[in-house]
């Protein structure tokens, strides 16, 4: 694996060979992240502290693209160690707050120009996004919140960044379909189902309490669920915005109601967005699942991949 950094003024440097590394990928927050440890001598590169961008490749395939947050060099009797930490490209949107704005009818060009383009983010799938009436960005909200809310209101999907650092706005269309059978090097499997935190009903109202809307999670209510949330929106948004807000809260609460976590030997067994067909005998696991988050790397016990899967509907 080759790892590189680029400085604020465009200089590039290949890092020493990694001893241990971990790349974590997900959707939304927390965003993708990486840690990397390399051996170094006693001559510290002047570029390490100037780096802003990090990427890693193996066999011509990009494994990670992100922003460099921290560089540490240490030395003891065993020698020198270089440690780098950072996050994916979503960090640029998460770290920058916005000035409040109200749109009578916001289109993707408005969002791209105001909250994506200033940070040099590449994106794909924006042509499928329709206009959103009465769209509001709160003062102090992150650029990521503006993008995420707009995309979700357009077509109900979550924006996410791939390993090339490209922002996807059209869901999981680029995900690969894979089959995991009993032949895979499975280390462990954990299947968790929860009820706590799943919302059965959301009452959304305006600040004055004059307009309200109730949204119910009918399937959870039918199974005995009782968890109500009251949500107050600033200003007057109208019934459409209220219903969206209630549905969004219910969807987020139920997203990880059923989670399967698989830990496999080896790196890069699957990636975020991949659709997995399970056909395993021990333990007996079947069905279609989507990779919601994954972590892969090399540690003292060798290579590993940990997949967090949600049931594919």
């Amino acid at each position: 694996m080759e790892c590189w950094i680029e400085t604020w003024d465009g200089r590039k440097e290949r890092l020493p060979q990694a001893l241990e590394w971990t790349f974590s990928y997900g959707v939304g927050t927390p965003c993708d992240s990486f840690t990397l440890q390399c051996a170094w001598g006693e001559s510290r590169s002047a570029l390490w502290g100037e780096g802003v961008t990090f990427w890693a490749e193996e066999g011509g395939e990009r494994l990670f693209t992100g922003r460099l947050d921290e560089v540490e060099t240490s030395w003891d009797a065993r020698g020198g160690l270089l440690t780098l930490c950072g996050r994916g490209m979503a960090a640029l949107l998460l770290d920058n707050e916005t000035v409040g704005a109200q749109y009578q009818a916001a289109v993707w060009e408005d969002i791209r120009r105001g909250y994506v383009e200033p940070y040099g983010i590449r994106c794909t799938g924006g042509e499928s996004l329709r206009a959103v009436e009465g769209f509001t960005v709160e003062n102090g909200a992150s650029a990521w919140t503006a993008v995420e809310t707009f995309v979700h209101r357009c077509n109900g999907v979550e924006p996410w960044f791939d390993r090339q650092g490209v922002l996807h706005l059209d869901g999981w269309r680029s995900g690969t379909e894979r089959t995991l059978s009993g032949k895979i090097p499975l280390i462990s499997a954990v299947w968790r189902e929860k009820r706590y935190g799943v919302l059965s009903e959301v009452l959304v109202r305006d600040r004055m309490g004059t307009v309200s809307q109730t949204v119910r999670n009918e399937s959870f209510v039918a199974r005995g669920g009782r968890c109500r949330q009251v949500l107050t929106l600033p200003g007057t948004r109208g019934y459409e915005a209220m219903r969206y807000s209630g549905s969004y809260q219910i969807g987020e609460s139920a997203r990880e109601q059923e989670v399967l976590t698989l830990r496999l030997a080896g790196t890069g067994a699957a990636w975020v967005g991949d659709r997995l067909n399970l056909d395993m005998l021990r333990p007996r696991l079947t069905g279609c699942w989507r990779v919601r988050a994954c972590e892969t790397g090399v540690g003292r016990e060798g290579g590993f991949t940990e997949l967090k899967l949600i049931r594919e509907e």
Side-chain angles (χ1 to χ4, degrees):
M1 183 178 69
E2 295 185 1
C3 298
W4 295 78
I5 60 170
E6 182 174 355
T7 63
W8 58 272
D9 56 356
R11 292 173 292 166
K12 299 179 177 65
E13 180 168 308
R14 182 176 173 179
L15 295 168
Q17 183 63 40
L19 301 175
E20 297 183 15
W21 55 272
T22 300
F23 298 154
S24 299
Y25 313 86
V27 178
T29 55
C31 68
D32 300 352
S33 62
F34 73 90
T35 59
L36 186 79
Q37 289 189 333
C38 311
W40 68 286
E42 299 180 21
S43 178
R44 185 181 186 279
S45 170
L47 297 187
W48 291 345
E50 298 291 315
V52 294
T53 305
F54 167 88
W55 70 94
E57 297 179 343
E58 186 171 37
E61 180 181 16
R62 181 65 63 94
L63 300 182
F64 198 98
T65 306
R67 302 284 293 179
L68 186 60
D69 287 336
E70 183 177 316
V71 178
E72 176 185 282
T73 52
S74 58
W75 186 91
D76 60 21
R78 295 170 296 179
L81 188 67
L82 168 66
T83 303
L84 300 95
C85 303
R87 294 167 293 160
M89 297 303 289
L92 284 170
L93 304 184
L94 288 164
D95 288 351
N96 287 278
E97 294 185 350
T98 67
V99 177
Q102 292 184 335
Y103 300 88
Q104 185 174 355
V107 296
W108 169 243
E109 182 59 26
D110 297 324
I111 306 304
R112 185 190 65 80
R113 185 172 54 248
Y115 310 106
V116 178
E117 191 177 80
Y119 310 108
I121 299 294
R122 295 178 294 151
C123 56
T124 181
E127 63 279 357
S128 66
L129 302 178
R130 58 178 175 80
V132 175
E133 295 184 2
F135 186 73
T136 300
V137 178
E138 300 297 333
N139 193 45
S142 69
W144 171 259
T145 297
V147 172
E148 180 185 43
T149 304
F150 179 85
V151 173
H152 199 277
R153 284 190 61 176
C154 281
N155 55 15
V157 302
E158 297 174 287
W160 63 287
F161 282 84
D162 64 18
R163 287 171 284 140
Q164 289 74 37
V166 176
L167 175 61
H168 289 254
L169 307 167
D170 53 0
W172 303 116
R173 295 182 184 179
S174 62
T176 300
E177 185 158 340
R178 305 173 186 267
T179 298
L180 298 186
S181 65
K183 296 180 180 180
I184 65 170
L186 181 65
I187 298 174
S188 65
V190 178
W191 192 335
R192 176 176 56 82
E193 298 179 72
K194 70 169 186 175
R195 293 175 64 86
Y196 177 77
V198 180
L199 298 174
S200 60
E201 180 181 294
V202 177
L203 172 63
V204 189
R205 62 178 189 169
D206 65 5
R207 182 171 292 169
M208 301 300 294
T210 57
V211 180
S212 64
Q213 180 75 260
T214 298
V215 183
R216 285 166 55 90
N217 182 350
E218 297 293 355
S219 62
F220 188 51
V221 171
R223 300 195 305 275
R226 293 294 299 273
C227 182
R228 183 192 194 210
Q229 182 183 76
V230 177
L231 183 65
T232 302
L233 295 182
T236 301
R237 306 289 189 85
Y239 284 104
E240 181 184 354
M242 285 184 169
R243 179 156 290 278
Y244 158 76
S245 298
S247 299
Y248 179 79
Q249 294 300 322
I250 287 175
E252 287 298 294
S253 74
R255 187 177 302 281
E256 297 184 5
Q257 187 174 352
E258 184 179 10
V259 175
L260 175 62
T261 302
L262 302 180
R263 189 173 181 88
L264 313 173
T267 61
W271 306 102
V272 166
D274 286 355
R275 186 174 184 268
L276 303 186
N277 297 302
L278 300 187
D279 183 19
M280 303 171 64
L281 295 176
R282 189 173 182 271
R284 183 59 178 166
L285 298 172
T286 60
C288 296
W289 300 76
R290 183 74 68 175
V291 180
R292 171 76 177 173
C294 73
E295 184 173 275
T296 188
V298 172
R300 296 182 180 180
E301 297 179 358
F304 70 92
T305 301
E306 185 165 293
L307 305 174
K308 183 178 182 180
L309 310 177
I310 57 175
R311 179 77 72 174
E312 181 81 337
E313 299 179 356

